[in-house]
Amino acid sequence: MLQRYDIPALQHPGEFEERWWSEIHTPISGPDGSVKWIVQRAEDVTVFIRSRRARALTAGFTEREKGMAAELFARPASCTT
């Protein structure tokens, strides 16, 4: 799922920068099989959302499909860290 969550602009105190995030929630089961924890990870996909190529590629996509595309965009960056 995509979520817009702006963050403080470091270069301009008191102002905020637009940011888009792809959120992933993963349930972790305990020994009895019930969900004990939920791990949340958020990937910054702002560059993808702002890119002209992304807008052209996802023009006919639903919001869910756009979120999936943004998540796929973010994966290579997270795999190298």
Side-chain angles (χ1 to χ4, degrees), residues 33-64:
S34 66
V35 175
K36 296 294 181 186
W37 303 278
I38 297 177
V39 176
Q40 178 180 337
R41 186 178 83 211
E43 298 284 345
D44 185 349
V45 294
T46 306
V47 172
F48 176 80
I49 296 299
R50 290 181 179 169
S51 76
R52 289 182 187 161
R53 184 167 184 236
R55 285 192 297 270
L57 289 172
T58 62
F61 283 16
T62 65
E63 288 303 310
R64 183 171 186 261

Side-chain angles (χ1 to χ4, degrees), residues 7-17:
I7 61 172
L10 297 177
Q11 308 300 340
H12 304 281
E15 295 181 18
F16 289 82
E17 296 177 13

